[in-house]
Amino acid sequence: MSAPLRAGLIGLGVMGRNHARVLAGLDGVDLVGVVDPAGRPDGAPHGVPMLESLSDLVALGIDYAVVACPTALHEEIGLALADAGVGALIEKPLAESVAAAERLVAAFESRGLVAGVGHIERYNPALQSMRARLEAGELGDVFQVVTRRQGPFPHRIADVGVVKDLATHDIDLTGWVTGQDYASICAHTVARSGRPHEDMVAAVGRLTDGSMVNHLVNWLSPLKERTTVVTGERGCFVADTLTADLTFYANGELSTEWEALRAFRGVSEGDMIRYAIPKREPLLVEHERFRDAVAADGGENGGGIVTLRQGLRTVEVSAAVLESARLGETVSLQPSGVLGAV
């Protein structure tokens, strides 16, 4: 058997501690050190040393690092890891700006390093099942994707607003489950918490196949909701990513074999099915996929991760959302050609 991969962790906030928990028990990986840019003195799993600096972590001879610090630090830390020849799993969003994300892509790609972005919703069992069923044509033509992501104010987030912190989840998953890119977006934002960033966004977009997208995201609601609804000619899928449940609501309007009446004539309530699907922890699956990609050096198993270029596209679309809100008009996007399978 080959020796375990040596991994490091940068950041011990809420998400960083979850990464630490998973890394500490991940088969085929040894978590050998932790660095926290905020200077937290503890929080590493038992037996894992807390180090003073990123250079101390790199000096341990790590195979890859997980970057779970504030978004504003992603570029600096990512570029330092790339310069040291170390692969990285960088929490979403990839960077705080399109230019910073582009520099990260160039740095890792030019060195042939395995790097990915932590868009964890791609590993949610409900969305994994939804994507497979959409690919199999179970819904027919897709008409619309609606996402709702709302809940209480997260005091741990201080450097970005809801678009970069939360809407990036929905932007990435929408393109991924449908296999379509964003063609345009129109958005409005609200800032009510007294912070410099937006607290709520409502966006309407169009994908390259002409289907409609609606995103409602806020952290001003006492109701916690994480829902993705995909509507098509045969009904709709509803994914609750909090519970990892997937439900299908069938269009009960029967089709006809009479050619003259075969045009779409409307919908009615049909069968409702809640699928029984295996429910593994998405963060664990994400780490397993990245581990396998590093072990394969980005080869045969490298397709199991969200690439930096895919993460860059999400940053581009989120920037277009904010630009649309600032200008008060629709913003068009050029196709990226980076949609991938996970």
Side-chain angles (χ1 to χ4, degrees):
M1 296 180 62
S2 58
L5 295 171
R6 295 171 63 81
L9 172 64
I10 300 137
L12 272 178
V14 173
M15 198 63 201
R17 289 172 188 252
N18 282 320
H19 282 292
R21 170 182 56 81
V22 172
L23 282 167
L26 187 61
D27 289 341
V29 173
D30 286 339
L31 177 59
V32 298
V34 176
V35 175
D36 184 64
R40 298 177 181 89
D42 54 26
H46 179 70
V48 179
M50 288 288 298
L51 305 172
E52 291 292 327
S53 67
L54 179 59
S55 59
D56 291 337
L57 182 62
V58 171
L60 293 178
I62 56 176
D63 296 297
Y64 71 93
V66 176
V67 180
C69 55
T71 305
L73 298 176
H74 286 188
E75 180 185 11
E76 175 188 347
I77 291 173
L79 293 179
L81 289 169
D83 285 342
V86 175
L89 173 60
I90 303 173
E91 259 302 334
K92 64 84 206 162
L94 174 56
E96 63 178 348
S97 70
V98 173
E102 289 174 338
R103 288 189 287 269
L104 285 169
V105 170
F108 283 95
E109 286 188 350
S110 65
R111 293 166 174 81
L113 297 169
V114 178
V117 186
H119 281 293
I120 193 171
E121 292 286 40
R122 292 204 190 190
Y123 306 96
N124 189 288
L127 294 176
Q128 289 264 336
S129 181
M130 176 192 283
R131 185 176 192 266
R133 294 175 186 280
L134 288 172
E135 282 188 325
E138 293 185 18
L139 206 59
D141 290 338
V142 172
F143 302 151
Q144 184 184 52
V145 181
V146 176
T147 68
R148 297 190 302 274
R149 185 177 298 270
Q150 50 190 346
F153 183 82
H155 295 283
R156 63 187 177 87
I157 302 297
D159 58 336
V160 295
V162 292
V163 172
K164 293 181 180 178
D165 181 54
L166 295 180
T168 47
H169 282 301
D170 298 315
I171 291 167
D172 179 74
L173 74 85
T174 295
W176 174 68
V177 298
T178 63
Q180 300 296 320
D181 203 352
Y182 282 78
S184 65
I185 199 80
C186 180
H188 297 279
T189 59
V190 171
R192 293 293 176 87
S193 67
R195 302 181 338 138
H197 304 292
E198 74 286 348
D199 304 308
M200 175 182 290
V201 60
V204 178
R206 182 172 56 85
L207 302 181
T208 47
D209 66 350
S211 54
M212 177 185 291
V213 173
N214 298 78
H215 299 309
L216 176 63
V217 187
N218 80 75
W219 52 35
L220 300 177
S221 171
L223 166 68
K224 191 168 185 180
E225 183 181 29
R226 304 284 187 272
T227 304
T228 299
V229 181
V230 180
T231 302
E233 61 179 328
R234 296 176 185 164
C236 71
F237 288 125
V238 179
D240 184 332
T241 53
L242 284 175
T243 61
D245 288 325
L246 179 66
T247 305
F248 174 59
Y249 294 83
N251 176 7
E253 189 74 20
L254 298 177
S255 60
T256 177
E257 296 182 4
W258 187 5
E259 185 68 32
L261 297 178
R262 194 170 289 179
F264 184 78
R265 303 181 66 85
V267 298
S268 64
E269 287 185 287
D271 295 333
M272 182 185 74
I273 303 170
R274 193 177 78 172
Y275 298 106
I277 53 179
K279 296 183 179 180
R280 301 186 69 222
E281 182 186 2
L283 187 62
L284 173 59
V285 177
E286 178 180 82
H287 274 279
E288 289 175 344
R289 298 287 181 87
F290 194 78
R291 172 203 62 193
D292 294 346
V294 173
D297 196 24
E300 182 179 352
N301 295 321
I305 67 175
V306 183
T307 68
L308 293 194
R309 285 200 172 270
Q310 292 167 10
L312 166 61
R313 181 54 172 178
T314 299
V315 174
E316 290 173 340
V317 177
S318 65
V321 169
L322 291 171
E323 181 71 358
S324 172
R326 185 183 69 83
L327 296 174
E329 60 186 43
T330 299
V331 173
S332 297
L333 294 117
Q334 295 298 318
S336 65
V338 298
L339 295 174
V342 172

